[in-house]
Amino acid sequence: MTDKQSMHIDPYEKNWIRLSIGLLVVFATAVTVAGFAFGFQVPTPEDRVDPRTVATEGPWADPGLRELVPGKKYEAYILAQTWAFLPNEITVPVGAEVTFYVTSKDVQHGFKLQDTNINMQIVPGQVSKLTVTFDEPGVHNFICTEYCGAAHAIMFGTLTVE
Amino acid sequence: MKEQKNSETDEFEPKGTMVILLIFVLTLILLWGSVYLILLSRGVTV
Amino acid sequence: MLANYEVSQAEKKFIGWHLLFAVIAVAIGSLFGPLQALEHAGLDLYPYLQPLFASYYQGLTLHGVLNALVFTTFFITGFLTLTTIYGLKRPLRYPKLNAVGFWMMVVGLVVTAIPTLLDQASVLYTFYPPMKAHWSFYLGLTLVVVGSWIEGWGFYFTYYAWRKENPGVRTPLTTFGGLITMVMWQFATLGVATEILTMLLPWSLGLIEGTDPQLARTYFWFTGHPLVYFWLLPAYVSWYGMLPKQAGGKLFSDSLARFAFWLFLLLSVPLGFHHQYVDPGVPAGWKFLHAVLTYSVFLPSMLTAFTVIASLEYAGRKRGGKGLLGWIRALPWADPVVSAQLLAGILFFFGGIGGITNASYNVNLVVHNTAWVPGHFHLTVASAVTLSFMGISYWLVPYLTGKKLGVSNKVANIQVWTWFVGMVIFSNAMHVVGLLGAPRRTPLGLAPYIPEEWSGHLLRVGIGGTIMFVGMYMYVYIVAKTAWAKNYEPVEIEVPLADSIHDPQETPDWLDKWVPWLIGTVALLLIAYGPQLFDQISNIALNAPGGKVW
Ligand code: HEM
Ligand SMILES: [Cu+2]
């Protein structure tokens, strides 16, 4: 009896397992290369703040765009709160590389800049950071993608590239 | 009896199963790949 | 093993109570589905619900809590009670313990329902702090979870007693799958239990000033991802252990079925960061590790796809199906029990494709928090799981009540296909509009930023959602008509346990040993979560006061 107790795997199933593993390896490689070689990255811890004072002290007391290298490099400090982004209008020149630093002073929000890969959870006490470069003129909405209370649906802003 | 049962099963080759699963894999590559291409088209984030 | 053990009337009644609460929950929860879908399509019916329901968000909270948490948990604990006692051919070791668990879940449900219905807990089913619900909402959910634990303990004691009576015998597959589900659930729910007991309850009671929303998310998703396997594994129990028989064949491989279940125990929990790819407070490296682990849990599902389809092919060929694919038509599609599970499986193909997309680390940036995500999980929890549960109900309710299904197979089949067709339209539209950038959890009719190009897809969301609603209420009607029939045809239904092509006693012994797998599970958990939990807990900052913002 015991000699029969080996795991019986059908040859077709063996091939299927090989194919599945192969496929996952290909996907994993594609994702890893895009992430770590090209810079399609997800947020990573940047800084922590006190949500009770963030609107009155530090960079988010005066949220908005900072010009680091004119025409080239910018930082955008954005404060999310119920139910608006501060500021809710931003204008940058074509070719600008903009790094977003977003935090919330009340509940969780989302920050998704349409037609780019900027998509972040905004968590009170944490700073969400990602960077984007604008090569073409146009208007991008940034919308709140996490339920944040009664008027969540109207929470958005616009970024203009000109 | 047992022997007979096993020989009956050994003859069964799940070829149709493989066809379905291959169709699945092709669909998976196509759909996953299209979202991956959307990612690439929307630019880097660092 | 009691040689001629029969499930008693009392046991059937006890399982029936589970189903009753499950169906009531999904009936109420689903009322909001079409309202949400039609709102997206431009038809806002919420003003007419005043003052009964305050807002879209209150409705969405009820939709998520009742469907995804209550319906599933009650159905699963009921169904797995049956697979435990029927498979082991012995009664529950401590029936009173299971009764305590069940009624604790009921009390928890009521305690959760009250603040939710009073609009004091419109925080959605993920209840992310620092949005603050009334404390009774968290307390009620805790009771539901603890109740489900107790029912699980009841299963373990029963299994333990059976094991002593039957040394060396392989655990019947359906029982085995059910036990794995409940053990996995114990590990999984440690996260949300810690979140509620150490943070949310003291905070909502006013004992502490604030909370740490990032740590809360980490705790929540420790539970949140395995939650989906808690929903899915009972459907797999049916696909592996019952569907082959219902389709007229045998299980293709008993040992691979067991192996898949063990992999689910091992891998379901240590990958919750894949829900937090865009969180600011989790290091990218840890997210990447969880991405890799998530890819590995795709394998047991690929195994399942093979084994289940091969079992179906075996059945179809035995029924005279010829050619490479002719066996598909030869399957008993006329039986709603079978057709429901087959269509659930087809939808799950696409659910799986969406799942691997979501899990792919940076690819998640494209879809996170968009309508794509509800599009995805209506294919998984609301199709693979819910549609399978509908099919299971079509033999389980007659089995429990002794009454023939209250409608013809044809009508039940129309129900099944209605859900399928509605879901195809709905989920496709949700995926597409999500890729275009539409956010989830948002009454889009009120949103000022909706471009014209979304409107066609949003219309399809409304159409598909309405068809699904019809399908859901046909299901509720069929179950109710069967259960409460006065004049009925009595039936004797057998629980459909499939034989496997190879005798289970030939399955290797190590696939029936718990200790090594449990040790592996704990070890993997410590590796995947230990360092981050230590880091986040030692840097805890309870400084977000939050509040009621709806
Ligand atoms: C009756 C047919 C149904 C329809 C038309 C429907 C429709 C919808 C829609 C449109 C949303 C998205 C709302 C938004 O993001 O703003 C949604 C969310 C959701 N649905 Fe359904 N649904 C149905 C049935 C179900 C079932 C049976 C389940 C689970 C068993 C389910 C589970 C969920 C969950 C968990 C959410 C997410 C809630 C949240 O984001 O907090 N739904 N549903
Ligand atoms: Cu918001």
Side-chain angles (χ1 to χ4, degrees):
Chain A
M1 204 63 206
T2 27
D3 57 317
K4 283 198 154 175
Q5 288 194 0
S6 58
M7 190 136 123
H8 167 89
I9 305 184
D10 184 87
Y12 283 89
E13 184 145 25
K14 267 190 193 133
N15 284 332
W16 171 242
I17 295 171
R18 284 194 195 105
L19 177 67
S20 302
I21 294 177
L23 192 67
L24 289 175
V25 170
V26 171
F27 283 9
T29 311
V31 165
T32 310
V33 170
F36 296 88
F38 295 152
F40 293 86
Q41 265 300 1
V42 299
T44 202
E46 166 66 18
D47 201 1
R48 293 185 70 167
V49 291
D50 187 334
R52 291 166 300 192
T53 55
V54 70
T56 48
E57 295 168 13
W60 289 273
D62 173 30
L65 196 68
R66 317 268 200 271
E67 190 172 66
L68 301 186
V69 181
K72 288 228 169 69
K73 237 175 148 58
Y74 296 81
E75 285 176 349
Y77 285 83
I78 296 184
L79 184 65
Q81 60 180 42
T82 52
W83 294 281
F85 291 109
L86 293 181
N88 63 5
E89 278 182 26
I90 297 175
T91 303
V92 297
V94 175
E97 181 199 280
V98 185
T99 301
F100 291 90
Y101 296 87
V102 192
T103 190
S104 163
K105 68 167 205 186
D106 40 49
V107 293
Q108 294 189 34
H109 298 271
F111 184 87
K112 178 166 167 32
L113 185 62
Q114 300 290 38
D115 300 320
T116 73
N117 282 324
I118 307 280
N119 187 352
M120 306 187 285
Q121 194 78 23
I122 311 305
V123 181
Q126 306 275 343
V127 177
S128 303
K129 172 193 171 195
L130 280 180
T131 301
V132 60
T133 305
F134 298 99
D135 296 323
E136 276 164 36
V139 177
H140 299 262
N141 289 329
F142 43 96
I143 63 180
C144 177
T145 49
E146 183 60 83
Y147 167 53
C148 60
H152 155 62
I154 62 159
M155 179 163 169
F156 85 115
T158 48
L159 180 144
T160 308
V161 187
E162 54 178 39
Chain B
M1 182 62 207
K2 192 143 251 172
E3 289 313 300
Q4 207 184 345
K5 195 172 134 204
N6 276 349
S7 66
E8 168 208 328
T9 60
D10 285 345
E11 272 166 41
F12 168 61
E13 294 195 338
K15 287 196 176 141
T17 302
M18 285 314 267
V19 172
I20 294 182
L21 290 174
L22 286 178
I23 296 172
F24 169 67
V25 164
L26 289 180
T27 319
L28 169 58
I29 293 173
L30 205 77
L31 293 180
W32 184 89
S34 64
V35 183
Y36 182 72
L37 290 179
I38 293 178
L39 171 79
L40 296 189
S41 75
R42 288 182 182 174
V44 300
T45 55
V46 287
Chain C
M1 189 172 316
L2 311 170
N4 43 12
Y5 166 76
E6 294 262 355
V7 177
S8 71
Q9 282 308 318
E11 288 167 325
K12 286 185 179 173
K13 222 179 200 147
F14 181 56
I15 297 167
W17 276 105
H18 288 78
L19 257 60
L20 177 70
F21 277 95
V23 174
I24 292 175
V26 83
I28 300 173
S30 293
L31 287 174
F32 299 96
L35 296 176
Q36 287 147 207
L38 289 171
E39 195 282 340
H40 281 42
L43 178 61
D44 183 359
L45 295 174
Y46 289 87
Y48 304 102
L49 301 180
Q50 308 273 7
L52 210 52
F53 296 105
S55 69
Y56 182 92
Y57 305 109
Q58 188 191 7
L60 190 56
T61 306
L62 286 162
H63 183 77
V65 170
L66 288 175
N67 289 347
L69 303 180
V70 177
F71 161 65
T72 49
T73 307
F74 278 82
F75 194 100
I76 289 165
T77 46
F79 179 53
L80 296 186
T81 302
L82 183 67
T83 63
T84 304
I85 60 178
Y86 191 89
L88 300 179
K89 294 269 176 279
R90 82 180 309 295
L92 288 170
R93 179 73 180 80
Y94 302 114
K96 289 221 173 80
L97 183 69
N98 281 68
V100 167
F102 173 72
W103 290 107
M104 185 178 283
M105 297 199 323
V106 173
V107 171
L109 168 59
V110 173
V111 173
T112 309
I114 293 170
T116 315
L117 290 170
L118 294 175
D119 198 29
Q120 296 304 308
S122 298
V123 292
L124 307 187
Y125 81 118
T126 47
F127 49 89
Y128 292 144
M131 207 177 268
K132 197 192 303 190
H134 190 268
W135 55 266
S136 54
F137 177 82
Y138 308 113
L139 178 71
L141 288 179
T142 309
L143 291 175
V144 173
V145 169
V146 175
S148 70
W149 285 356
I150 294 176
E151 289 229 54
W153 301 339
F155 299 161
Y156 314 152
F157 285 125
T158 309
Y159 169 74
Y160 188 71
W162 173 87
R163 177 45 84 209
K164 282 197 154 161
E165 297 153 8
N166 300 274
V169 180
R170 292 288 170 281
T171 315
L173 181 62
T174 50
T175 307
F176 173 79
L179 286 169
I180 296 248
T181 308
M182 297 310 280
V183 173
M184 185 277 287
W185 184 233
Q186 295 282 325
F187 285 112
T189 40
L190 292 177
V192 76
T194 311
E195 180 194 6
I196 292 182
L197 294 179
T198 66
M199 290 167 64
L200 302 190
L201 261 183
W203 165 66
S204 58
L205 283 166
L207 302 176
I208 50 176
E209 286 277 294
T211 179
D212 185 330
Q214 181 64 70
L215 178 58
R217 286 178 64 84
T218 298
Y219 284 145
F220 182 85
W221 287 112
F222 184 101
T223 301
H225 184 73
L227 175 62
V228 314
Y229 288 103
F230 177 65
W231 300 330
L232 195 58
L233 291 187
Y236 281 6
V237 165
S238 178
W239 294 0
Y240 274 123
M242 298 177 172
L243 179 60
K245 166 122 178 198
Q246 290 157 338
K250 289 180 176 179
L251 173 62
F252 186 72
S253 171
D254 180 84
S255 44
L256 275 168
R258 284 169 206 259
F259 187 54
F261 276 114
W262 283 124
L263 289 181
F264 280 119
L265 174 65
L266 202 63
L267 296 169
S268 289
V269 190
L271 30 82
F273 286 151
H274 76 212
H275 286 263
Q276 300 175 264
Y277 285 140
V278 305
D279 274 24
V282 181
W286 287 98
K287 294 172 177 173
F288 187 73
L289 174 70
H290 282 219
V292 174
L293 285 165
T294 309
Y295 269 26
S296 66
V297 82
F298 201 59
L299 274 179
S301 278
M302 296 291 249
L303 283 179
T304 302
F306 184 96
T307 309
V308 171
I309 297 173
S311 308
L312 291 169
E313 181 170 358
Y314 180 83
R317 294 200 181 285
K318 257 183 65 178
R319 297 172 62 92
K322 295 270 176 297
L324 211 49
L325 295 175
W327 53 271
I328 300 176
R329 290 200 53 189
L331 291 170
W333 286 91
D335 179 356
V337 175
V338 175
S339 66
Q341 296 181 77
L342 295 178
L343 295 179
I346 292 173
L347 292 174
F348 194 47
F349 272 140
F350 295 93
I353 293 174
I356 195 97
T357 310
N358 303 337
S360 295
Y361 193 61
N362 39 20
V363 182
N364 186 263
L365 291 169
V366 179
V367 297
H368 189 86
N369 278 351
T370 69
W372 160 290
V373 176
H376 158 70
F377 61 64
H378 282 80
L379 292 175
T380 55
V381 65
S383 295
V385 176
T386 299
L387 191 50
S388 292
F389 288 1
M390 288 170 171
I392 292 170
S393 306
Y394 291 153
W395 65 263
L396 185 55
V397 175
Y399 169 79
L400 296 174
T401 58
K403 302 174 186 179
K404 191 165 182 265
L405 196 65
V407 299
S408 67
N409 272 356
K410 199 165 163 203
V411 172
N413 244 320
I414 293 175
Q415 185 278 320
V416 165
W417 279 94
T418 306
W419 187 261
F420 177 79
V421 170
M423 187 60 79
V424 168
I425 300 170
F426 171 83
S427 69
N428 174 268
M430 291 284 280
H431 279 89
V432 173
V433 80
L435 287 178
L436 294 174
R440 69 181 284 202
R441 300 185 147 177
T442 307
L444 293 174
L446 302 176
Y449 48 73
I450 307 298
E452 184 50 38
E453 65 164 331
W454 295 1
S455 59
H457 303 299
L458 293 175
L459 185 63
R460 287 193 300 136
V461 168
I463 294 170
T466 307
I467 299 174
M468 282 156 64
F469 178 69
V470 174
M472 176 56 80
Y473 265 76
M474 284 182 74
Y475 165 72
V476 174
Y477 168 78
I478 294 171
V479 170
K481 183 151 189 274
T482 308
W484 282 302
K486 286 257 153 39
N487 305 314
Y488 55 85
E489 211 177 298
V491 282
E492 291 242 356
I493 306 256
E494 254 187 73
V495 177
L497 291 193
D499 292 323
S500 70
I501 291 179
H502 296 270
D503 191 75
Q505 278 310 120
E506 293 169 32
T507 297
D509 198 30
W510 56 271
L511 287 175
D512 209 7
K513 282 211 162 47
W514 284 83
V515 174
W517 293 100
L518 289 174
I519 293 174
T521 303
V522 173
L524 200 55
L525 257 179
L526 288 177
I527 294 169
Y529 260 115
Q532 259 306 296
L533 277 178
F534 179 78
D535 200 57
Q536 291 190 28
I537 292 170
S538 45
N539 289 309
I540 190 172
L542 297 171
N543 58 11
K548 177 173 179 286
V549 286
W550 62 88

